[in-house]
Amino acid sequence: MRSSAIDTVLAFMRAFHEQDRAAAEALMHADFVFTSPQDDHIDRTTWLERCLPSADHFDTPGVTLQIVETDGIVLHRYEYVVQGKTYRNLEATRVVDGTVREVEVYFGGAV
């Protein structure tokens, strides 16, 4: 079990960028739900099939700008590079019993 919800979120992001499916699955709640402007409340199986393999889309792993836990949600603002352009996103992640239960991604524009 992780020492904190923030540690769980950072470990989940690391598993995504390293394409470590076993680590990602170990961190996912059985009732995992993921929402972004491109995905509407997809489940664990769909995320593993559709989203996990997309890490090669990024030029570099995300860099955390701010991360805080408030009211049971971890808010994680980060930036990343795609095709030479820098973008910023915000994720609101609910962690339950040391696992990622729900992720909501809000896309930012190019910086």
Side-chain angles (χ1 to χ4, degrees), residues 13-103:
M13 182 177 228
R14 187 171 42 257
F16 169 75
H17 285 289
E18 294 175 358
Q19 293 294 277
D20 187 341
R21 184 181 174 115
E25 286 184 282
L27 291 164
M28 295 172 83
H29 191 276
D31 295 323
F32 176 87
V33 176
F34 180 87
T35 300
S36 78
Q38 298 171 340
D39 306 285
D40 186 16
H41 294 86
I42 62 174
D43 64 10
R44 175 187 171 109
T45 300
T46 305
W47 186 88
L48 288 165
E49 292 171 359
R50 182 187 305 168
C51 300
L52 180 65
S54 70
D56 64 353
H57 172 76
F58 302 94
D59 296 354
T60 60
V63 174
T64 296
L65 300 174
Q66 290 96 19
I67 189 165
V68 297
E69 183 178 1
T70 182
D71 297 328
I73 300 290
V74 175
L75 300 173
H76 185 201
R77 184 172 172 255
Y78 58 93
E79 67 181 24
Y80 57 95
V81 179
V82 174
Q83 297 180 347
K85 289 186 180 180
T86 301
Y87 296 86
R88 291 187 180 139
N89 283 3
L90 175 73
E91 294 187 6
T93 303
R94 181 177 307 281
V95 176
V96 175
D97 297 328
T99 61
V100 176
R101 168 66 177 85
E102 182 178 7
V103 179

